[in-house]
Amino acid sequence: MAKVLGLGGVFFKAEDPKGLAAWYARVLGIKVEDWGGAMFPHPKVGMTNWSPFPADTRYFEPSTAPFMINLIVDDIDGVLAKAAAEGVEPTGRQDEEYGRFAWLVDPAGFKVELWQPAAEG
């Protein structure tokens, strides 16, 4: 049976695509290719999640965008320290049985959810 196996990409508009790509490379360590985007191998931990939210959700605040980006990270404290060195502070943090979360807002105003999955076992 044909089925979706995971997230194939996130595509969105930004006023300054090159500047935004540089921010993601500098602050979050994403390897941006010459063509302006990034490619990720299938993660060996966690999963890609697709989840529609109600139109009136406040979960994406303080962003006014109709979406939020979730990124799997291997060391949430390390990523947040790197972000803080760039003057970027999280808008929140939360630990759950399935992992640790933190949220940032990027220069385009998009909310970014960082997720460090809980260790298996």
Side-chain angles (χ1 to χ4, degrees):
M1 182 168 102
K3 59 185 174 185
V4 174
L5 298 177
L7 182 62
V10 176
F11 304 93
F12 52 91
K13 296 179 182 179
E15 292 295 320
D16 179 11
K18 288 182 181 180
L20 189 59
W23 184 91
Y24 273 83
R26 187 177 69 248
V27 174
L28 299 178
I30 292 176
K31 181 180 182 273
V32 177
E33 303 293 338
D34 290 341
W35 51 268
M39 296 181 294
F40 301 94
H42 189 272
K44 293 184 179 184
V45 62
M47 80 271 313
T48 300
N49 193 340
W50 180 87
S51 182
F53 279 74
D56 61 353
T57 187
R58 298 183 68 186
Y59 191 64
F60 299 170
E61 291 179 1
S63 175
T64 58
F67 63 90
M68 180 180 66
I69 300 166
N70 175 290
L71 300 172
I72 297 171
V73 299
D74 60 353
D75 175 6
I76 201 163
D77 294 323
V79 171
L80 291 175
K82 191 172 183 180
E86 291 284 337
V88 180
E89 295 296 326
T91 62
R93 292 190 68 162
Q94 186 172 329
D95 291 347
E96 297 288 343
E97 66 182 50
Y98 45 89
R100 302 175 69 205
F101 295 86
W103 297 271
L104 307 172
V105 176
D106 75 12
F110 303 137
K111 188 173 182 181
V112 179
E113 181 175 68
L114 304 175
W115 172 42
Q116 180 181 338
E120 292 185 22

